[in-house]
Amino acid sequence: MSTGHIVSGEPINLENLTENLQDDSTYALVKTSDMEVIRMYLPHGKCIEEHSVQGEMSVHCLKGDIFFNVDGKGMELTEDDWLYLDKEQSYSYSVKSDTILLVTILFTNNK
C-alpha cells in the first residue's frame, strides 16, 4: 500500500530529486501504514514551533545547516548528520541555511 511517489524497487537520486519541486517543498517519497519517508527542502530562516509526531522518527541532513531543539536541548545538524527522535518526543527547528532533510517516520500499529 504505497501512497507516496516512488514505486517499490525503483532507485532514485535524492540529490537530483529537485525537478518539478517548488522551494520550501515537502515530497512524500513513500507512505505506507507502517512508515512515511519524506524529502524536505527548507529555506534559510524557516522555523517550526515545538511539536511531536506519533511515531519514531529519524532525520538525516543531506545538505545545509539546521538548528534543532529536542526536549530543551539545542543541537546543530549539518551535511551527513543524523538524528533519532523517540515517539512523541518534542522538537522544534530553525533553518540556518537552505537545507535538505530525509525524514523517516515509523508508525506503531496496535493490532
Side-chain angles (χ1 to χ4, degrees):
M1 174 189 109
S2 176
T3 57
H5 301 286
I6 304 304
V7 176
S8 178
E10 174 187 0
I12 61 166
N13 183 297
L14 294 172
E15 175 64 25
N16 296 331
L17 188 64
T18 56
E19 297 174 15
N20 302 320
L21 293 183
Q22 300 175 350
D23 286 349
D24 195 11
S25 63
T26 298
Y27 186 83
L29 298 170
V30 175
K31 184 172 183 179
T32 70
S33 60
D34 297 321
M35 75 170 192
E36 184 170 11
V37 181
I38 306 161
R39 181 205 182 266
M40 299 175 73
Y41 168 83
L42 304 168
H44 170 260
K46 182 170 182 98
C47 296
I48 295 294
E49 298 206 11
E50 187 172 316
H51 67 288
S52 65
V53 297
Q54 290 182 330
E56 296 170 300
M57 183 169 77
S58 73
V59 178
H60 181 181
C61 183
L62 300 174
K63 272 190 160 186
D65 191 354
I66 186 168
F67 185 82
F68 268 81
N69 189 322
V70 179
D71 291 334
K73 179 181 175 189
M75 64 199 74
E76 187 172 355
L77 295 182
T78 59
E79 187 171 332
D80 293 329
D81 286 342
W82 185 84
L83 174 66
Y84 166 77
L85 297 172
D86 207 357
K87 297 176 200 170
E88 300 182 15
Q89 191 166 15
S90 296
Y91 70 94
S92 61
Y93 62 75
S94 60
V95 181
K96 297 175 74 175
S97 69
D98 292 353
T99 297
I100 298 174
L101 301 178
L102 182 65
V103 177
T104 302
I105 304 168
L106 300 176
F107 302 107
T108 303
N109 294 323
N110 297 324
K111 296 179 180 178

